Amino acid sequence: MKLFKKILIANRGEIAIRIIRACHELGIETAVVYSDIDRDTLPVRIAHEAVCIGPAPSAESYLNIPAIISAAEITDAEAIHPGYGFLAENPQFVEACTASNITFIGPTADNIRLGGDKAKARRIMMKKGVPVVPGSDKPISDEAEAMETAKRIGFPVIVKASAGGGGKGMRIVPEEQYLGKMYHMAQKEAFAAFGNGELYMEKYISDMRHIEIQILADKKGNIIHLGERDCSIQRRHQKLVEEAPFVLSTPKFRKKVGDAAIKAARAMKYRNAGTVEFILDSNGDIYFMEINTRIQVEHPVTEMITDIDIIKEQIKLAAGSMLSLKQSDVKFSGHSIECRINAEDPESFIPSPGTVSLFIPPGGHGVRTDTAAFSGWKVPAYYDSLIAKVIVHGRDREEAIMRMKRALSEFVIEGIKTTIPFYLKILKDRDFISGTYNTHFLDNFKKASASA
Ligand code: MV4
C-alpha cells in the first residue's frame, strides 16, 4: 500500500512534533500550520514546510477550517493529521477534508458524531451487549423522568451531558432531595458550554478507576487492542499521571476489557485509532463510559509497553492499509508512566506563561520527553499549558517510579513555574506507590499529603 507523499499537521506543540517525527520515519514529507505567535517554534523548524494560518487566537488559526484546507492545498498535502484538541473531533472538518479530496487521518465523521453524543453511544452499547453502568437508556426529557430513573437505579446517581466531556454539565446527586436542583444546574451548564442541554443518567460509582483501552481498526473492520491504561489520577477532569499496564492487570483482566472495547468499536463501525474508556468498580466489574475518537495525550505509555508506534499505525490505516498485526502479535513488556508537565503554579495550578530562560530535558535509558519547548521559547497564554510529557519505561512498576523520580529531578525549566514539584510529591505518596489509588486520589492527596 502506497502511503502519502506529504501530510499537513494541523496542530502545534509537542503533538505536532510527535506527528512530524512519525511522518519522517515513514519517508513522508511534512507541512505544518502555525499561528502568528507560533512562528519561532520547533514544529515550524522541523517540518519541511510551514504555513501561517492566522493570528494567535485559536478561533482564527488552529480552528480555522478554510485556512487549514487552503494550507493543505497550497502545499499539495494529500492528508491532514489533526493531533488532539482543536479540530480533531470536529465532524465538519472531516467532511471539509473529504470535499477537498484530502484524507483525514482519524476516524469517520460518523464515528466522531457518535463519540460526541454520549447518551446515544451508551444506548448503542447497551443494545450490542457492551456492559454499561445502570442508568437511562435514552436522553432524559424532564425532571419527572429524571426522578423516575434515579429511583429505579437508586441514589447516588450522576447526571451527565450528552455533549459533555471535561466534567462540564455533570452533577453527582447523593439523594432524592437534591435531584431537581442538580438536574437543572447540569442542564444549564451543558447548554452554556455545548449549546446542547441534553442529559443522561448513570448510577454513581463512588470508588472507581478510570481504565481505557487503545484500539486500532482498519477499513475492513479488523480491530485489535493495545491493552489498557490507568488514568485515574485526575484533577478537575484533567488527567495528570497515566500508566500502563493497570497495576492489578492480569492476562484475564486485559482480555475482558480488551474484548469489551473491541465489541464497542465494532458496534459503531469504528475506523483508525481510538480509545474506549471504562469505569472499573471495586468489585472488579467494568462498564463502558465513552469513546474518544482521537489520538490521546497519553498514547505514549501504550507505545512504550507494546513497542508499537500508534501515530505510524494511524497514518498507514488512513492510507488504506490493513492491520499488519493480529491480536496475538501484540506483546506487552514492562511498565510505563507519563507525567504531564504544565506551565502552571504547582500549588494553585494557575497558568504561568512567559519565557523559558533555560530548558534542559531529562534523558537516559528508558526516558522519553515529548516536548516542543527549548531555552528561550516563550510559552504563549493563548493555548493549553502542557509544555512537556515525561514518559518512562521500566522492567516493572517499581523501576518505572524510580526512573520517573530520577528524570523529573534532573529536568531543568527556568523562567516559568511548572508542575514538576507536584509530581515529585505524588511519586512519594504511599497510595501512589502501592498502586491502590482511585479517581479520588487527588482530593485525598491535598488534605492528607501522606508521604511514605
Ligand atoms: C462517573 C463517576 C462515577 N460514576 N460515572 C466522567 C468523566 C470523567 N472526567 C469523570 N467522570 C466520572 N464518571 C459514574 N457512573 C465518576 C467520575 C469522576 C468524577 C465525577 C465527578 C467529580 C469528579 C470526578 C473525578 C473522577 C471521576
Side-chain angles (χ1 to χ4, degrees):
M1 173 62 62
K2 196 192 159 297
L3 294 181
F4 309 104
K5 188 164 182 297
K6 192 188 287 178
I7 289 173
L8 181 85
I9 293 95
N11 215 302
R12 63 182 300 283
E14 68 85 20
I15 194 63
I17 291 182
R18 170 72 190 87
I19 299 161
I20 292 165
R21 286 173 171 159
C23 291
H24 292 179
E25 288 185 16
L26 290 170
I28 298 170
E29 289 172 39
T30 53
V32 68
V33 302
Y34 65 93
S35 71
D36 284 337
I37 208 168
D38 281 340
R39 186 174 299 272
D40 299 314
T41 61
L42 290 188
V44 172
R45 286 182 80 110
I46 294 169
H48 295 126
E49 292 167 77
V51 183
C52 183
I53 49 164
S58 306
E60 296 172 65
S61 49
Y62 298 104
L63 293 173
N64 185 341
I65 295 177
I68 290 167
I69 298 289
S70 300
E73 284 173 342
I74 61 168
T75 55
D76 268 323
E78 303 157 73
I80 298 182
H81 197 305
Y84 51 69
F86 298 124
L87 296 170
E89 291 170 286
N90 183 323
Q92 280 86 41
F93 181 58
V94 179
E95 283 163 353
C97 289
T98 309
S100 297
N101 206 18
I102 298 162
T103 303
F104 175 83
I105 301 173
T108 65
D110 283 343
N111 290 163
I112 294 174
R113 274 193 201 93
L114 186 59
D117 184 343
K118 282 144 220 243
K120 190 171 175 192
R122 187 180 142 81
R123 184 183 175 83
I124 288 177
M125 297 313 157
M126 284 170 93
K127 272 210 307 224
K128 302 281 181 166
V130 179
V132 299
V133 197
S136 56
D137 61 357
K138 56 180 189 308
I140 293 177
S141 33
D142 54 37
E143 197 185 316
E145 191 182 333
M147 188 58 83
E148 226 172 90
T149 309
K151 284 186 171 162
R152 173 171 59 79
I153 63 182
F155 287 91
V157 299
I158 183 166
V159 288
K160 296 182 176 182
S162 287
K168 286 219 181 75
M170 187 156 81
R171 286 289 183 284
I172 299 164
V173 188
E175 295 172 52
E176 186 177 331
Q177 64 184 114
Y178 305 108
L179 183 70
K181 202 167 177 180
M182 299 280 220
Y183 174 81
H184 291 290
M185 278 167 73
Q187 193 172 48
K188 213 176 138 194
E189 197 175 291
F191 192 83
F194 315 112
N196 173 3
E198 190 177 280
L199 302 177
Y200 64 104
M201 186 184 287
E202 289 176 354
K203 174 89 185 160
Y204 177 65
I205 312 290
S206 63
D207 184 6
M208 64 164 268
R209 289 180 85 129
H210 175 125
I211 299 292
E212 58 183 36
I213 296 274
Q214 177 71 54
I215 55 156
L216 293 175
D218 66 29
K219 66 177 182 192
K220 289 271 174 68
N222 301 302
I223 310 170
I224 59 170
H225 73 81
L226 305 185
E228 78 286 353
R229 298 187 281 257
D230 184 334
C231 306
S232 301
I233 300 188
Q234 308 188 6
R235 182 183 174 276
R236 301 197 176 167
H237 309 290
Q238 286 277 99
K239 294 167 186 169
L240 297 179
V241 181
E242 301 98 347
E243 53 183 315
F246 162 48
V247 213
L248 304 175
S249 192
T250 59
K252 195 173 152 209
F253 174 82
R254 181 169 297 145
K255 180 164 169 31
K256 180 173 83 167
V257 204
D259 287 350
I262 289 172
K263 196 188 240 189
R266 184 162 293 131
M268 59 186 281
K269 294 191 174 9
Y270 198 82
R271 296 293 177 266
N272 210 268
T275 298
V276 187
E277 294 186 344
F278 292 91
I279 289 172
L280 169 65
D281 73 10
S282 47
N283 298 322
D285 290 321
I286 53 148
Y287 306 97
F288 170 87
M289 187 155 52
E290 53 189 76
I291 182 152
N292 290 317
T293 57
R294 60 171 184 280
I295 188 73
Q296 287 185 286
V297 175
E298 62 272 27
H299 77 276
V301 295
T302 299
E303 296 186 324
M304 299 294 262
I305 65 160
T306 60
D307 200 27
I308 293 169
D309 184 320
I310 299 169
I311 309 272
K312 283 187 189 171
E313 295 304 319
Q314 281 193 293
I315 294 168
K316 290 190 272 182
L317 291 167
S321 299
M322 293 302 115
L323 282 173
S324 58
L325 296 162
K326 299 186 299 294
Q327 189 61 54
S328 57
D329 296 329
V330 181
K331 302 274 193 264
F332 301 91
S333 165
H335 197 95
S336 181
I337 303 176
E338 171 180 278
C339 290
R340 299 187 184 191
I341 313 303
N342 286 322
E344 290 171 3
D345 183 298
E347 301 283 335
S348 65
F349 296 91
I350 291 167
S352 172
T355 300
V356 179
S357 51
L358 189 62
F359 188 81
I360 307 172
H365 185 62
V367 178
R368 164 175 169 185
T369 306
D370 281 16
T371 183
F374 57 90
S375 298
W377 174 59
K378 192 170 173 196
V379 183
Y382 288 90
Y383 314 110
D384 192 273
S385 59
L386 179 79
I387 55 163
K389 304 189 306 205
V390 177
I391 307 111
V392 297
H393 184 262
R395 276 166 302 183
D396 53 28
R397 188 169 185 270
E398 199 183 327
E399 186 175 57
I401 291 174
M402 289 308 286
R403 190 158 277 158
M404 181 63 85
K405 278 193 197 167
R406 182 278 281 175
L408 294 183
S409 305
E410 69 188 52
F411 203 161
V412 177
I413 306 180
E414 288 177 3
I416 57 162
K417 289 179 185 166
T418 80
T419 48
I420 291 173
F422 169 78
Y423 290 107
L424 286 169
K425 271 195 263 175
I426 287 185
L427 291 165
K428 282 195 244 170
D429 182 89
R430 212 186 303 119
D431 292 340
F432 179 77
I433 292 166
S434 68
T436 57
Y437 59 83
N438 60 26
T439 51
H440 299 296
F441 177 72
L442 290 182
D443 319 341
N444 306 332
F445 186 72
K446 268 192 255 139
K447 284 178 210 127
S449 250
S451 277

